[in-house]
């Protein structure tokens, strides 16, 4: 299937991680030119190396999403090297596991800036160009916790949920400009983040990590953790011309994990 994104410019936030890296590679595989942003330059470059070794075009950017003052400079770098951003993938790192109560205001503020306000501000920066060109894709990766809150992920459950309301509202505002805005929810995808969460749970409960992982896997109808490339493929489809009538949606990539309708 021809997805119609050859030579489109994509910006993937958190592109040095498991999910972000898979998304960046999937987009590049369909011919998009990809800007890979990550707080760690080495991680961003590792993703770019995989893309360029496959003969596709990409650039690496060291980008701390908590620094809201650098957004214009970073986007200008992308525009100078690859062109204006057509596809924005908002994929941020997750906060530490915590209860919802008893957290300092400064901790909430820090992660609000990096996980929520940065996404809104970066979108606002690239949106005028998308509207002018009458084409754009804004895809925001959150968590299954926005539908079924996950125990001991109080910060994540609350902050990521705010992005769902924002994206739905945005979709209605920009739909007539040829721009779509969608939310994608990962279930338990086999990345470093899931390994970290399994290890943290095992430590809290005094159990072996293998036991926690086996229990987690047993709760998934398909009987396994997802593959990062499976998640990347869904995001890439939503970024495509073929998905032009999908907007304002919340799409689960969870192997059937979330029990609710």
């Amino acid at each position: 299937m021809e997805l119609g994104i050859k030579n489109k410019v994509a910006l993937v936030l958190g592109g040095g991680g498991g999910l972000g890296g898979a998304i960046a590679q999937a987009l590049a595989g369909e011919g998009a030119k990809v800007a890979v942003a990550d707080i760690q330059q080495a991680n961003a470059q590792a993703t770019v190396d995989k893309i360029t070794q496959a003969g596709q075009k990409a650039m690496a950017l060291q980008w701390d999403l908590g620094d809201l003052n650098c957004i214009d400079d970073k986007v200008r770098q992308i525009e100078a090297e690859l062109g204006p951003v057509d596809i924005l993938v908002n994929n941020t790192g997750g906060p530490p596991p915590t209860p919802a109560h008893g957290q300092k205001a400064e901790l909430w503020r820090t992660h609000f800036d990096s996980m929520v306000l940065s996404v809104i501000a970066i979108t606002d920066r690239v949106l005028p160009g998308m509207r002018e060109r009458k084409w754009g894709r804004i895809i925001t990766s959150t968590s299954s916790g926005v539908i079924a809150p996950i125990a001991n992920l109080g910060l994540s459950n609350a902050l990521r949920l705010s992005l769902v309301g924002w994206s739905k509202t945005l979709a209605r505002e920009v739909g007539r400009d040829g721009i779509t805005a969608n939310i994608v929810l990962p279930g338990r995808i086999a990345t470093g983040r899931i390994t970290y969460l399994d290890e943290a749970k095992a430590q809290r409960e005094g159990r072996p990590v293998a036991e926690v992982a086996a229990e987690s896997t047993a709760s998934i109808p398909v009987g396994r953790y997802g593959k990062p490339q499976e998640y990347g493929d869904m995001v890439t489809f939503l970024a495509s011309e073929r998905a032009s009538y999908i907007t304002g949606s919340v799409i689960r990539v969870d192997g059937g994990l979330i029990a609710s309708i």
Side-chain angles (χ1 to χ4, degrees):
M1 180 184 291
E2 172 56 54
L3 295 185
I5 57 172
K6 186 174 183 180
N7 293 322
K8 296 288 188 185
V9 176
L11 167 56
V12 180
L13 306 180
L19 289 182
I23 293 166
Q25 290 176 71
L27 287 166
E30 293 297 326
K33 298 179 286 186
V34 185
V36 179
D38 198 271
I39 193 169
Q40 299 291 339
Q41 174 73 28
N43 292 345
Q45 189 60 53
T47 298
V48 167
D49 288 346
K50 292 175 183 176
I51 291 171
T52 56
Q53 286 166 12
Q56 294 129 12
K57 189 171 179 62
M59 66 180 290
L61 289 163
Q62 190 282 322
W63 196 331
D64 179 358
L65 296 179
D67 180 4
L68 302 177
N69 295 317
C70 74
I71 292 172
D72 190 59
D73 177 63
K74 298 297 185 184
V75 174
R76 285 181 184 275
Q77 290 181 49
I78 297 167
E79 291 170 341
E81 185 164 337
L82 301 179
V85 174
D86 302 297
I87 299 163
L88 173 61
V89 180
N90 293 312
N91 173 57
T92 68
T98 64
H101 73 280
Q103 307 309 315
K104 293 182 179 180
E106 188 56 37
L107 183 65
W108 283 101
R109 188 173 297 114
T110 295
H111 290 289
F112 177 79
D113 282 354
S114 63
M115 294 175 59
V116 180
L117 196 52
S118 63
V119 165
I120 295 170
I122 293 167
T123 302
D124 283 350
R125 172 59 177 81
V126 302
L127 194 56
M130 292 180 179
R131 297 182 99 160
E132 184 178 336
R133 295 187 299 279
K134 297 295 183 183
W135 200 97
R137 300 287 184 266
I138 301 162
I139 302 159
T140 303
S141 178
T142 58
S143 162
S144 61
V146 306
I147 294 178
I150 302 168
N152 207 51
L153 288 184
L155 286 169
S156 178
N157 294 335
L159 295 177
R160 295 191 193 279
L161 186 56
S162 66
L163 289 171
V164 177
W166 164 79
S167 180
K168 181 68 173 180
T169 306
L170 181 66
R172 295 183 67 86
E173 295 173 353
V174 301
R176 292 181 184 272
D177 297 314
I179 300 166
T180 65
N182 291 292
I183 294 284
V184 187
L185 307 182
R188 291 171 186 155
I189 310 295
T191 64
R193 170 73 174 172
I194 290 298
T195 300
Y196 166 70
L197 293 175
D198 282 350
E199 290 172 347
K201 183 176 182 179
Q203 185 174 13
R204 286 196 313 274
E205 299 179 358
R207 296 196 288 157
V209 175
E211 181 181 308
V212 169
E215 181 181 85
S216 178
T217 301
S219 70
I220 303 170
V222 301
R224 63 175 175 86
Y225 284 177
K227 300 173 184 178
Q229 58 266 36
E230 292 174 315
Y231 193 76
D233 287 344
M234 172 54 74
V235 173
T236 298
F237 176 73
L238 290 174
S240 76
E241 186 64 40
R242 298 285 182 145
S244 60
Y245 203 61
I246 302 172
T247 194
S249 294
V250 177
I251 296 172
R252 309 172 186 188
V253 185
D254 69 345
L257 171 65
I258 301 170
S260 65
I261 294 173

